[in-house]
Amino acid sequence: MLAPTLAWRFLRDGRAQTLLILAGATVGVAAFVFVSAIIVGLQENLVDKTLGSQAHLTVLPEEPPPRPLYEAAAPTLYARRIEEPAPRRRPFDQWQRALRTLEATPGVVAACPKVTGSALAIRGGAQEGVTVVGADAARLRRIVDLPRYLVEGRYRLGSGEALIGDDLADELGVRLGDPLRLTTEGRDADVRIAGIFDVGQQALDGRWVVLSLRGAQTLLDRVGDVTAIDATVEGIFEADAVAEQVAARTGLEVESWIDRNQQLLTALKSQDQSTLMIRVFVMLAVAMGIASVLVVSVVQRRGQIGILRAIGTKQRTVLAIFLWQGAFIGVVGAVLGTAIGAAFTQLLERVTFFPITVGPRLALMAMLISLGTGLASAILPARRAARMDPAAAIRGDG
Amino acid sequence: MSEANEANEARAGERLLELEGVTKSFGDEVVVEVLHGIDLTLERGELAALIGPSGSGKSTLLNLLGLLDRATAGTLRLLGRDVATLDDAALTALRGESLGFIFQFHHLIPALSVVENVMMPAAAVNGGFTASMRPKAEALLEAVGIGERADSWPRELSGGMQQRVAVARALMNDPPLVLADEPTGNLDTETSDQVFELLQRFNAESGTGFLIVTHDPDLAGRCDRVLQLVDGRLVADGPPDEVL
Ligand SMILES: Nc1ncnc2c1ncn2[C@@H]1O[C@H](COP(=O)(O)OP(=O)(O)OP(=O)(O)O)[C@@H](O)[C@H]1O
Ligand SMILES: [Mg+2]
């Protein structure tokens, strides 16, 4: 391999220039890695907070077609009144089939049928309005990782067992192992507190009472029925695409977390755009730095390039020599820059409230982008070198 | 060396170099003709000098012979092949295989060691350096008298030594013809003599043809044949005692 050998030798020979462009590439990549890691960390933290307690997807029973209260027989009448069906009591027809379809949809990694409804929790003199959530324990934990947030007791949903949030426990003055009475219109259930969780969100910690699926079905008078099916998807940002898939396959209404959090997503997107801008400008600056130094080196080596061409070096090889120089700078700059960027993020992480890591994905991306930048910035100098007229180059003019 | 000698003799039937009515002009708007109708034949194994006043077109002619530039008109045949019919890649290949070059300046590639510089023509043709090239390069360095400096860097060598390396490099691919443009131009008289003697020796021992541009009548006088260029025309061509 003549071109990489000569490229390496040229870089080694032009020590000061090489160190200069290498420093430029390294600083650029370090800035790239640093900024990317912070933004990714911040975004992951935000998304994590949001999704910690929310299902990625929720499949809802089919909305019965709005039924006109009356429809005039006469074609001249355009007005009609539409009444929304009552939302609460809607049964979920054939939810088992929907569950199977959902689980078979690519991108869906877990699904959990659930029953939710309102109830009153009573303990001694205290009573609180709560949200009863009934689900299979093994399925539910793959939607909301309650075991992770459990502060007391065990993650268990046997019959007569309940998990409640720490805030609700405080309100009611109950502790682990205490009995609790739940009532709805005419139905009661007595449960024992098997575990207390602290998700960090008032809506859960202060309201949720998690029961077994069957327990909740009985209490809420929905035996055999569910209110919705939650699902977890593989790529959270593809959740809306998966939702569309599921909707198309089942004919049901499917809601993704993206639908529910438009504001957050808009914020993330504009953040993405500004990071993209920063990255592009940083790498553009690096590219121009590499290109200008390489152009200078091409001019300085005119005579040598002329000699190389005269003694039989192909034009293609001369082109490749300078492209290889760009590639070497790009790769070495990526390695050093990623290391430095990672070191800086480590320092910063000590003062932030969220974790920042430079993962293999970011490192790989930095490597590819840096290599691309090095190559791209070498194109111009390389072509200049390859097109040099050897006679003129040896003569020292032209 | 004897192998190269045989190879050179084996193809002795065909002319090394033939020029018929070669002209060369420069410029697009203002066209200046620098060489006017050059007819010239070089045989294998000749040691020829090209002399002439400054600006007479010696380097221009050498560039045409070296396939570094194309003639404006006329035909130039190297080893029987009309070079006008060859594309740039083919010219590069032919140049690498059949021609050696020695220049006054830009002798060596500073980023390569001495022995690598000598191997460079073989690497260029072959597409990379190989270990098998090294013994030959070392033998050539031995032959030019600096065998012990193989692993030095060019900048560590004196001007005369660097030119010896350039001579060794020109011979690396056993070319039938070496073109030298004022190879001793910036060397002192003694060193210049030594380098010229090297060329003479390679010519005698291996039958390599040399065309040497020089301003030095003394050196020209020691060649077999002298070509004189004045204002872009060959005005004299013959043995030194006739021309000088
Ligand atoms: N690329 C070019 N463009 C325009 N004119 C050129 C070019 N190359 C050479 N010339 C002109 O051609 C003429 C011959 O130049 P050349 O370099 O061949 O002379 P030379 O005999 O080698 O001179 P010297 O002994 O000084 O080296 C000069 O007038 C020069 O200016
Ligand atoms: Mg000249």
Side-chain angles (χ1 to χ4, degrees):
Chain A
M1 292 297 279
L2 189 57
T5 311
L6 286 175
W8 182 248
R9 292 307 190 82
F10 277 0
L11 285 175
R12 232 178 48 178
D13 188 52
R15 202 159 301 156
Q17 279 175 355
T18 305
L19 286 179
L20 189 70
I21 34 179
L22 196 55
T26 301
V27 169
V29 172
F32 176 94
V33 166
F34 186 64
V35 169
S36 304
I38 292 173
I39 295 297
V40 168
L42 190 66
Q43 293 193 342
E44 272 176 0
N45 179 256
L46 276 173
V47 171
D48 213 45
K49 275 233 166 92
T50 307
L51 286 184
S53 55
Q54 273 186 27
H56 298 171
L57 291 187
T58 302
V59 182
L60 298 164
E62 195 178 8
E63 195 98 38
R67 205 170 337 113
L69 268 193
Y70 71 85
E71 204 153 10
T76 46
L77 267 175
Y78 296 105
R80 58 186 203 180
R81 235 184 100 204
I82 293 170
E83 194 181 52
E84 288 287 329
R88 269 264 123 254
R89 295 274 92 181
R90 233 193 295 162
F92 199 147
D93 287 330
Q94 297 193 301
W95 63 266
Q96 286 95 339
R97 226 176 86 190
L99 176 63
R100 279 193 299 275
T101 311
L102 178 64
E103 283 177 323
T105 305
V108 174
V109 294
C112 174
K114 65 173 185 188
V115 179
T116 54
S118 305
L120 215 55
I122 302 165
R123 163 71 177 163
Q127 44 171 266
E128 286 288 327
V130 299
T131 301
V132 170
V133 176
D136 174 61
R139 283 181 181 273
L140 181 65
R141 67 182 298 173
R142 301 194 59 192
I143 307 295
V144 179
D145 193 5
L146 281 180
R148 189 177 129 198
Y149 301 114
L150 215 59
V151 289
E152 266 184 280
R154 296 234 305 253
Y155 182 74
R156 231 177 33 189
L157 288 174
S159 81
E161 285 180 323
L163 304 171
I164 68 169
D166 57 344
D167 294 342
L168 181 61
D170 287 347
E171 297 279 345
L172 292 168
V174 292
R175 291 199 283 174
L176 192 69
D178 286 352
L180 188 67
R181 164 156 296 193
L182 299 167
T183 76
T184 59
E185 306 138 18
R187 286 169 180 262
D188 291 338
D190 287 308
V191 294
R192 181 172 299 278
I193 293 165
I196 295 174
F197 53 80
D198 177 11
V199 175
Q201 294 206 8
Q202 181 55 30
L204 272 72
D205 299 340
R207 274 197 73 87
W208 269 27
V209 174
V210 184
L211 305 179
S212 68
L213 183 61
R214 169 130 340 161
Q217 283 172 333
T218 311
L219 177 67
L220 297 170
D221 190 20
R222 301 195 66 142
V223 173
D225 192 16
V226 299
T227 49
I229 308 174
D230 282 343
T232 299
V233 298
E234 216 174 306
I236 53 171
F237 292 104
E238 280 87 65
D240 47 356
V242 179
E244 262 172 49
Q245 277 270 326
V246 175
R249 286 173 178 223
T250 58
L252 299 172
E253 188 191 338
V254 185
E255 207 180 71
S256 75
W257 74 276
I258 293 176
D259 302 328
R260 290 189 299 256
N261 299 277
Q262 279 304 335
Q263 255 180 321
L264 173 67
L265 267 126
T266 314
L268 293 185
K269 272 210 187 98
S270 61
Q271 218 173 40
D272 272 347
Q273 274 163 3
S274 40
T275 5
L276 183 68
M277 292 286 275
I278 295 174
R279 289 169 171 183
V280 167
F281 281 119
V282 164
M283 293 328 278
L284 218 57
V286 170
M288 292 195 295
I290 297 179
S292 55
V293 175
L294 279 182
V295 165
V296 170
S297 119
V298 167
V299 172
Q300 284 176 344
R301 295 183 195 279
R302 306 183 67 237
Q304 297 176 43
I305 294 167
I307 292 281
L308 285 174
R309 294 279 288 122
I311 63 181
T313 307
K314 298 180 189 83
Q315 213 169 356
R316 263 194 302 132
T317 307
V318 173
L319 186 84
I321 290 170
F322 285 87
L323 291 179
W324 272 102
Q325 292 188 53
F328 282 146
I329 293 288
V331 169
V332 177
V335 171
L336 296 178
T338 304
I340 291 174
F344 270 103
T345 44
Q346 289 293 295
L347 281 179
L348 185 77
E349 198 184 16
R350 294 190 191 155
V351 295
T352 54
F353 53 90
F354 54 88
I356 326 173
T357 46
V358 177
R361 251 185 77 159
L362 179 57
L364 185 71
M365 186 158 83
M367 175 63 77
L368 291 178
I369 287 178
S370 179
L371 177 63
T373 306
L375 274 177
S377 50
I379 290 175
L380 201 88
R383 279 165 55 148
R384 203 170 156 162
R387 285 183 182 166
M388 211 175 261
D389 169 17
I394 291 165
R395 200 168 49 236
D397 63 43
Chain B
M1 296 300 132
S2 69
E3 233 175 84
N5 206 355
E6 279 165 33
N8 285 348
E9 272 165 22
R11 287 174 292 177
E14 102 203 328
R15 285 263 154 77
L16 181 56
L17 197 62
E18 275 178 298
L19 275 71
E20 284 168 29
V22 166
T23 69
K24 178 67 188 176
S25 306
F26 290 109
D28 297 324
E29 279 163 26
V30 184
V31 178
V32 181
E33 195 172 87
V34 174
L35 295 176
H36 321 283
I38 306 283
D39 296 314
L40 168 67
T41 302
L42 277 182
E43 304 291 346
R44 285 168 182 280
E46 279 192 287
L47 178 63
L50 178 60
I51 60 169
S54 191
S56 57
K58 303 182 297 293
S59 295
T60 304
L61 178 58
L62 216 63
N63 284 342
L64 295 183
L65 304 181
L67 316 182
L68 293 170
D69 209 348
R70 288 176 186 270
T72 307
T75 50
L76 191 159
R77 272 189 288 273
L78 177 65
L79 300 165
R81 296 166 80 179
D82 182 352
V83 300
T85 63
L86 303 174
D87 65 10
D88 285 353
L91 284 186
T92 302
L94 187 58
R95 200 161 60 218
E97 286 159 12
S98 330
L99 297 171
F101 291 88
I102 306 168
F103 298 95
Q104 182 177 357
F105 303 109
H106 310 304
H107 309 289
L108 305 172
I109 310 293
L112 298 177
S113 72
V114 165
V115 70
E116 285 167 339
N117 264 283
V118 177
M119 295 193 296
M120 191 56 222
V125 170
N126 174 72
F129 291 97
T130 63
S132 60
M133 295 169 185
R134 200 180 157 102
K136 174 158 188 195
E138 282 175 343
L140 281 167
L141 283 172
E142 204 68 56
V144 298
I146 46 170
E148 78 286 358
R149 306 306 297 267
D151 292 310
S152 302
W153 295 95
R155 76 179 79 87
E156 298 165 358
L157 269 51
S158 68
M161 282 174 163
Q162 289 190 25
Q163 201 57 310
R164 285 164 189 264
V165 178
V167 170
R169 180 179 67 188
L171 296 165
M172 181 67 194
N173 286 350
D174 293 321
L177 177 63
V178 172
L179 302 168
D181 198 349
E182 303 188 45
T184 61
N186 67 340
L187 301 178
D188 61 66
T189 321
E190 196 186 333
T191 321
S192 158
D193 263 4
Q194 290 169 352
V195 170
F196 183 77
E197 274 159 23
L198 271 178
L199 304 186
Q200 263 184 318
R201 211 182 81 215
F202 279 110
N203 172 255
E205 285 175 5
S206 60
T208 306
F210 284 89
L211 181 61
I212 304 163
V213 172
T214 181
H215 280 116
D216 184 344
D218 189 44
L219 290 189
R222 287 149 71 185
C223 292
D224 308 335
R225 179 181 174 189
V226 178
L227 303 158
Q228 191 179 15
L229 202 59
V230 175
D231 286 340
R233 280 177 224 282
L234 264 184
V235 297
D237 178 1
D241 46 344
E242 282 177 25
V243 176
L244 295 171

